[in-house]
Amino acid sequence: MSGATLVADGDRPREGGPDRKAIDVAVGVLLATNGDFLLTSRPEGKVYAGYWEFPGGKLEAGETVEQALRRELHEEIGIVIAAAEPWRVELVDYPHALVRLSFCKVRAWTGQLEMREGQRFAWATLPVAQSPVLPGALPVLDWLAAERGFPGATCA
């Protein structure tokens, strides 16, 4: 974990007070062979609807990060992933929830992308053209930029 908590929309009040528990979320950073990465939009009816993010979802009781990621990516976008490579963990304090995002790189999967929740998708490059980007996804763009030797802005 990076150590510092990323505070999203810090000017807005927090729901649940200062002692709220973190919600664990598995997140897939799907990487194509050409280096592009998959972004999906948050569906209508969800908090931050229309914002771009990396796909994934909440862990259910007893699930590991990889199990949750496999389930969520199949349910949400219709693919079956091969290995999920644990990468980074980030704690993000949103007004509606405190979330612990466990990011995994995914380099292989089967099936065709099927946006099962009405979301949009884009294969993106740096700097990303999609906007707005969910605050919890911004560190990933920075990490990808650092790995690829692209210092500076990661959003167009």
Side-chain angles (χ1 to χ4, degrees), residues 40-62:
T40 59
S41 64
R42 292 189 53 80
E44 290 302 317
K46 288 197 175 182
V47 177
Y48 289 95
Y51 277 69
W52 291 89
E53 66 179 349
F54 293 90
K58 296 175 192 171
L59 275 68
E60 292 182 353

Side-chain angles (χ1 to χ4, degrees), residues 23 47 105 136 148:
I23 298 167
V47 177
K105 289 183 180 179
R148 297 171 184 192

Side-chain angles (χ1 to χ4, degrees), residues 57-120:
K58 296 175 192 171
L59 275 68
E60 292 182 353
E63 277 186 323
T64 65
V65 168
E66 185 169 348
Q67 289 169 335
L69 190 58
R70 285 181 185 287
R71 178 183 49 75
E72 286 284 347
L73 293 182
H74 186 259
E75 289 174 3
E76 290 182 9
I77 62 175
I79 63 170
V80 176
I81 64 171
E85 175 188 328
W87 187 28
R88 308 260 183 125
V89 177
E90 188 77 14
L91 194 62
V92 183
D93 183 0
Y94 286 104
H96 70 285
L98 180 64
V99 295
R100 183 179 301 107
L101 302 171
S102 295
F103 293 97
C104 297
K105 289 183 180 179
V106 177
R107 300 175 194 277
W109 56 90
T110 57
Q112 296 296 315
L113 292 175
E114 180 183 333
M115 301 295 110
R116 295 178 171 174
E117 295 184 343
Q119 70 274 50
R120 296 173 292 149

